[in-house]
Amino acid sequence: MQPSPGDVVLDAQNLHKTFRGGRGQAGRTRVSAVDGINLTLAAGESLGIVGESGCGKTTLARMLVGLDRPDTGTIMVHGRDIAHARGGDLRELRRRVQMVFQDPYTSLDPRMTVLELIGEPLVVHRLMPNAAARRDRVAELLALVGLAPELMNRYPHQFSGGQRQRIGIARALALEPEVLVCDEPVSALDVSVQAQVVNLLRDLQKRMNIAMVFIAHDLSVVRHVADRTAVMYLGRLAEVGETDTVYDQPAHPYTQALLSASPVVDRANRGRMANRIPLAGDPPSPTDPPAGCRFHTRCRLSKDLCGREQPQLLAIGGDANRVAACHFADESLADARERAEAA
């Protein structure tokens, strides 16, 4: 049974994931890729996740679909924890949360036909043992993503990058998931086809009432796709809110700097690049993050408190749907408004 719009289908709480690195002078290093992330996702909602390379976006995505297990924390799908499920329970939960991978050139087995690639999840989950029924289902899925069913006997190398990603999307939809996690789904594609794939995902999400997590570097793509946006920095959430609010009135200094560095072609916002906010120094090492606020070493508004205490995600202006992890979020927001007026 498909959830109703607004029903919470994914609830991730207190997620932590640490990887062991190489040996240094003090012994084996540890990289805290995700550090205390909380996320909720409702049916039919799209959540964009943005941040610099290495901030933990892909690790978070892999945990949400059960490919990586968190060190601590829970990932609840309709009240059942995918993070600690095993065997048949894990297989059943994985049907509900599927992933579209970044690179369509490596995510599809070159030795399998499109029929085999899209039909494989149906075989693994024992949903359609009948070959004829499976073939009909693959034909439906290909038509759904804008490809001719007659192409199902071809191999991945016979398709363009955009077509391969459509095949990957069809495979992810084969099990009729309730949550679709898209990890940089258009970054490996030509610019000319990126918009087509993004619009396809958006259309399918609305048509099928699927909740979607959309990870991307391109801020303009996220604004087009996401209802809400979460900004990550060094494994933590810096800010979360409705997309238009986060983009138009960013409260966290890192969000402001990130948006100011994004090229803008809209004439109404042509002053943004001229009002760019430079960041001091280099990003801290994830093996030795700074104490307190992890952004304070590069923040123009940093004070002594920022280096001592880790800020919590708190509501801004009494709006529980708009939160930022900054000790001086109100001051930062006021500064952003002054900059916007001066631009």
Side-chain angles (χ1 to χ4, degrees):
M1 182 178 67
Q2 284 291 326
S4 301
D7 290 349
V8 174
V9 294
L10 184 71
D11 184 12
Q13 296 295 321
N14 197 34
L15 295 182
H16 292 80
K17 184 66 177 179
T18 300
F19 296 100
R20 290 187 177 183
R23 291 189 177 276
Q25 293 181 351
R28 188 176 292 277
T29 59
R30 299 176 67 87
V31 178
S32 179
V34 172
D35 186 9
I37 296 290
N38 299 325
L39 289 175
T40 59
L41 196 61
E45 181 187 27
S46 55
L47 173 68
I49 300 180
V50 299
E52 295 173 276
S53 296
C55 72
K57 302 187 300 295
T58 293
T59 299
L60 175 60
R62 290 178 61 85
M63 287 194 292
L64 293 178
V65 298
L67 292 177
D68 287 339
R69 293 187 182 277
D71 299 331
T72 62
T74 59
I75 303 171
M76 308 300 290
V77 180
H78 284 304
R80 300 172 64 186
D81 188 4
I82 193 174
H84 300 96
R86 297 289 190 277
D89 288 341
L90 179 59
R91 178 184 297 148
E92 181 183 346
L93 289 172
R94 277 182 172 169
R95 285 183 54 187
R96 299 174 179 263
V97 186
Q98 288 290 301
M99 189 168 188
V100 177
F101 294 90
Q102 177 176 358
D103 189 354
Y105 294 91
T106 59
S107 61
L108 302 178
D109 190 332
R111 298 166 297 180
M112 299 174 69
T113 65
V114 170
L115 173 60
E116 294 169 331
L117 286 165
I118 299 177
E120 184 179 34
L122 302 172
V123 175
V124 170
H125 289 270
R126 302 184 180 92
L127 297 180
M128 286 187 178
N130 182 277
R134 196 160 59 245
R135 190 180 186 89
D136 290 342
R137 176 58 175 159
V138 171
E140 292 176 3
L141 289 165
L142 285 173
L144 188 67
V145 298
L147 293 176
E150 294 78 16
L151 302 175
M152 69 172 66
N153 292 318
R154 295 188 181 183
Y155 290 86
H157 74 271
Q158 295 176 287
F159 295 89
S160 67
Q163 289 174 322
R164 292 188 200 192
Q165 195 61 296
R166 288 173 185 264
I167 294 168
I169 294 169
R171 181 177 61 180
L173 295 176
L175 299 176
E176 300 182 351
E178 297 171 20
V179 181
L180 196 62
V181 179
C182 303
D183 182 21
E184 299 276 5
V186 297
S187 63
L189 304 179
D190 292 338
V191 175
S192 58
V193 298
Q194 286 184 3
Q196 298 173 21
V197 173
V198 167
N199 288 333
L200 171 66
L201 284 167
R202 186 68 166 163
D203 179 64
L204 290 172
Q205 182 224 353
K206 294 301 181 185
R207 190 191 315 177
M208 303 174 71
N209 194 37
I210 297 175
M212 183 167 66
V213 177
F214 192 94
I215 296 171
H217 280 95
D218 192 327
L219 297 176
S220 62
V221 170
V222 172
R223 182 161 197 173
H224 178 68
V225 170
D227 300 313
R228 289 189 298 134
T229 295
V231 182
M232 285 187 69
Y233 184 79
L234 273 184
R236 292 178 181 166
L237 291 178
E239 183 168 355
V240 184
E242 292 185 1
T243 295
D244 286 343
T245 303
V246 170
Y247 275 64
D248 293 337
Q249 300 181 42
H252 196 284
Y254 173 66
T255 308
Q256 296 168 8
L258 193 67
L259 290 170
S260 76
S262 177
V264 176
V265 295
D266 182 3
R267 289 187 176 184
N269 294 314
R270 63 184 181 275
R272 182 181 294 170
M273 287 300 292
N275 200 28
R276 182 168 180 171
I277 302 172
L279 295 181
D282 297 322
S285 170
T287 63
D288 186 25
C293 175
R294 292 190 173 180
F295 185 62
H296 85 269
T297 59
R298 307 172 73 192
C299 181
R300 70 187 190 282
L301 301 178
S302 178
K303 298 178 175 60
D304 290 342
L305 175 64
C306 303
R308 296 195 310 267
E309 296 183 14
Q310 176 184 333
Q312 303 301 312
L313 280 170
L314 298 177
I316 301 172
D319 183 0
N321 296 318
R322 174 80 187 285
V323 294
C326 178
H327 293 300
F328 305 101
D330 291 335
E331 178 183 335
S332 176
L333 183 57
D335 180 70
R337 289 170 175 166
E338 290 178 3
R339 285 173 170 267
E341 292 172 359

